[in-house]
Amino acid sequence: MQPGGAPDMASILKQAQQMQQHLAAAQEQLAQAEVTGTAGGGMVTATMTGSGELTGLVISPEAVDPTDVETLQDLVVAAVRDAGRAAGELTQSTMGPLAGGMGGMGLPGF
């Protein structure tokens, strides 16, 4: 540290590199994780990665009514939204602590 308690540039760069490594690891963890969302009491299930990529959609035969396609469409949208919400929560719990760590680098505005 420099006089006055301010971190020197080498220390700041080291902290930034460590933070970058932690962020990359967290992003990889999110890409590998899977979450599900459901609608209609489980008649439609959507599966997503933690990073938000839709990887699967299961529709129960009971949800399919050729005379009421609109309800099925609504169930699919609801299941995907539910999976997206779960992915968002996973992202927040995974990345949240890392975002808070930016303030510890001694950089104004972080």
Side-chain angles (χ1 to χ4, degrees):
M1 283 202 172
Q2 295 179 349
D8 63 10
M9 186 56 98
S11 175
I12 291 172
L13 289 174
K14 183 178 178 183
Q15 287 180 336
Q17 184 180 30
Q18 289 173 341
M19 180 63 64
Q20 186 177 16
Q21 290 170 347
H22 290 295
L23 285 171
Q27 288 170 334
E28 179 62 27
Q29 178 184 354
L30 286 171
Q32 299 299 317
E34 284 193 340
V35 296
T36 59
T38 61
M43 290 195 319
V44 177
T45 301
T47 303
M48 244 181 214
T49 65
S51 57
E53 180 185 351
L54 184 64
T55 59
L57 185 65
V58 177
I59 301 172
S60 170
E62 296 85 41
V64 180
D65 179 354
T67 64
D68 186 13
V69 175
E70 193 171 293
T71 296
L72 177 57
Q73 293 167 338
D74 291 343
L75 289 173
V76 169
V77 169
V80 171
R81 283 186 182 157
D82 191 40
R85 177 203 48 76
E89 289 175 0
L90 181 61
T91 298
Q92 180 61 34
S93 68
T94 302
M95 301 295 272
L98 294 174
M102 296 296 283
M105 290 178 29
L107 299 174
F110 284 95

